[in-house]
Amino acid sequence: MDGMKTSKKIILASNSPRRRELLGGLDIDFEVRVKDGIPEDYPQDLPMEEIPKYISREKSRAYTLAPDELLITADTIVWTAGRVLGKPASPAGAEDMLRQLSGKTHQVVTGVTIATTEWSTSFAVVTDVTFAALTDEEIRYYVRRYAPLDKAGAYGVQEWIGYVGVTGLRGSYYNVMGLPVQRLYSELKKHHIISDNEQ
């Protein structure tokens, strides 16, 4: 059986190999199209869930679509102690972020925008992630071995640190990886982009 049938050509606007893997898991054909240099600034008074939604909408506005295309943009943040942990600027910054997450529960929020030439919609999904207390040696090992400078909050849940550190997770695991694929699938079905009829 071939993949799921879609009514539009799906465009994923992301450099993330994890998002590509997750979208591919829905068994739909898609093309990756990336524009560099899109600002990821946001108004500082936005509540937690609105931040990644805002950024995903701004990313979406940078693209010009054909009538038969649908664009997916996403942004993921880590939220702890009332503030955002973005991507660390250095290994030392990554170690500091992981110390802030150690022994506590934080929120991972992914905002997604789906857009065509006729309409767009945005949503956010929140997952609670609890870490065990991490030793400095464990933190240094992970940062040195995995160099998580491209990841919000300085960690990938699917990597070593997730295996040894995550004691609990409430919500979507795939959301923590960077794309809430169940919610995305539901939205695509709701807008008649994906058909679940037998091919």
Side-chain angles (χ1 to χ4, degrees), residues 78 80 85 97-108 128-135 138-139 142 152-170 176:
V78 169
T80 186
L85 293 186
M97 286 185 182
L98 289 170
R99 288 189 192 97
Q100 293 180 58
L101 300 178
S102 173
K104 301 184 182 74
T105 298
H106 63 271
Q107 286 70 47
V108 177
D128 293 332
V129 182
T130 302
F131 266 99
L134 302 168
T135 67
E138 288 166 338
I139 289 171
Y142 174 67
Y155 78 93
V157 70
Q158 72 279 8
E159 296 176 341
W160 182 85
I161 198 77
Y163 296 165
V164 306
V166 174
T167 62
L169 189 149
R170 188 163 62 89
V176 184

Side-chain angles (χ1 to χ4, degrees), residues 135-154:
T135 67
D136 280 347
E137 289 75 15
E138 288 166 338
I139 289 171
R140 282 194 294 268
Y141 171 82
Y142 174 67
V143 171
R144 184 175 66 250
R145 178 76 181 267
Y146 291 88
L149 303 186
D150 62 334
K151 297 176 177 68

Side-chain angles (χ1 to χ4, degrees), residues 174-194:
Y174 300 113
N175 185 53
V176 184
M177 283 182 67
L179 194 66
V181 282
Q182 190 282 326
R183 176 68 185 277
L184 176 60
Y185 177 77
S186 296
E187 292 288 334
L188 292 173
K189 277 184 67 177
K190 183 171 79 174
H191 291 281
H192 308 293
I193 303 301
I194 286 180

